[in-house]
Amino acid sequence: MEDGNRTSGKVQQVALVTGGAGFIGSAVVRRLVRSGHRVRVLIRPTSDPRNLRRLPIDIVTGDLTDRPSLERALKGCRFLFHVAADYRLWVPEPERMYENNVRGTEKIMEEALKAGVRKIIYTSSVATLKLNGKGIPTDEKGAASLGDMIGHYKRSKFLAEAAVLDLIETRGLPAVVVNPSMPVGPGDIKPTPTGRFIANAVAGRMPAYVNTGLNVVHVDDVARGHLLALEHGTIGERYILGGHNMTLKEILIEVASIAGRMPPRVRLPHRLILAAALFSEAWARCACRGEPRVSLDEARMARKRMFFSSGKAERELGYTYRPAGDALRDAVYWFQRNGCGKGIEGLEN
């Protein structure tokens, strides 16, 4: 089984995808299946499997913190796509995030070395990069330090990426790092923090905006970028998988147009957003009402325009991306079909 099963005279390469039931992970799974790979998916017992329905894949139930389950999942695999991550911008118990994102990444990389995996694609994030000032797009040269990271999610992804790069240098880990920006599109069932704000905009619950910017990319383009990194990526290199840079106002106007809503007209000062975040977090903690509507980390990040360049991936991988309007349209239509008409509370988690 080392090289996969033979089907119609062809050898299928076995690829393991962690987090394959999630937003980016399931898009990677679909792309791998279409490309002829035999796909194995590692998911937790509590994962929502809807994104994997009717796909010809093997499923292993396990956890990044459970080494025996990692050994079972990696047996006979030639490729590993480590996509799984705890992506939340507010956590009441940060230690669990570090256990999954940092120590879980270290464990699966060590097990991949033992299993003789030929090539690994590690899904990091543009969150690990240091932003340029004045909205100038950041590229892979944007060297950052842990002190530049705002919040536990960014810090955990920074430490996880650093661990992968260290294993590449010290133990010959055959890994390529990809850094997606802000993926949108179908299948955001949780939803992610990005999907949550789009769902709220679709439901007419985003009446105002702040002066910030984001890089919008279709999740399927990010998935295709993962396979391009497998085919053409250089071990030890990082590649931003992004799309178009847009201000938040431009994004919300586009979403409103697609959803048939009135676009927001009020621009809020950052100090007001910070005050709202303080209240929202305090209410979430005291009332045990789940995640706050807006977190302090989100408010702090909104002070800068998070613009990025995918030029390196375009040159070295052949990466391309569709217009942001197409990505946002697919996201809006998916949320409308899946119960966000009254806000994110209509979604099944």
Side-chain angles (χ1 to χ4, degrees), residues 123-310:
T123 309
S124 184
S125 168
V126 291
T128 66
L129 303 171
K130 186 173 183 177
L131 294 172
N132 288 321
K134 299 180 180 179
I136 300 172
T138 295
D139 61 17
E140 292 82 357
K141 298 176 184 177
S145 67
L146 186 60
D148 295 316
M149 301 294 104
I150 298 173
H152 294 294
Y153 172 70
K154 283 194 171 189
R155 283 195 283 271
S156 68
K157 292 298 287 184
F158 179 89
L159 292 171
E161 184 184 282
V164 171
L165 294 173
D166 180 70
L167 286 170
I168 293 169
E169 183 176 351
T170 62
R171 297 183 57 185
L173 184 77
V176 178
V177 178
V178 292
N179 302 77
S181 58
M182 191 189 95
V184 300
D188 196 354
I189 58 178
K190 201 169 184 177
T192 62
T194 299
R196 189 176 69 225
F197 103 75
I198 290 179
N200 279 326
V202 172
R205 302 179 64 179
M206 294 285 287
Y209 64 93
V210 292
N211 184 24
T212 188
L214 300 163
N215 183 280
V216 179
V217 61
H218 198 292
V219 68
D220 290 340
D221 292 335
V222 171
R224 188 169 51 82
H226 278 66
L227 268 70
L228 289 171
L230 179 69
E231 296 168 7
H232 307 297
T234 301
I235 302 299
E237 292 293 323
R238 298 190 296 176
Y239 299 94
I240 293 173
L241 303 180
H244 290 274
N245 294 309
M246 303 176 71
T247 65
L248 181 57
K249 181 181 179 181
E250 291 170 337
I251 294 171
L252 292 175
I253 289 173
E254 183 73 20
V255 169
S257 175
I258 297 166
R261 296 279 186 180
M262 288 294 295
R265 299 182 182 277
V266 179
R267 173 177 159 181
L268 298 178
H270 283 103
R271 64 180 180 275
L272 186 58
I273 294 296
L274 283 169
L278 280 167
F279 175 81
S280 186
E281 283 199 8
W283 176 252
R285 290 183 185 279
C286 294
C288 297
R289 295 291 299 273
E291 294 189 24
R293 285 292 179 89
V294 58
S295 70
L296 278 170
D297 290 340
E298 288 174 293
R300 289 168 180 147
M301 285 187 282
R303 288 177 170 175
K304 293 186 178 182
R305 294 193 173 189
M306 292 165 275
F307 289 167
F308 298 93
S309 168
S310 301

Side-chain angles (χ1 to χ4, degrees), residues 89-109:
L89 298 182
W90 182 82
V91 283
E93 299 175 356
E95 181 56 31
R96 291 180 59 189
M97 177 171 282
Y98 290 97
E99 182 67 27
N100 287 313
N101 290 355
V102 184
R103 288 178 284 279
T105 293
E106 292 171 340
K107 287 176 183 177
I108 196 165
M109 294 301 162

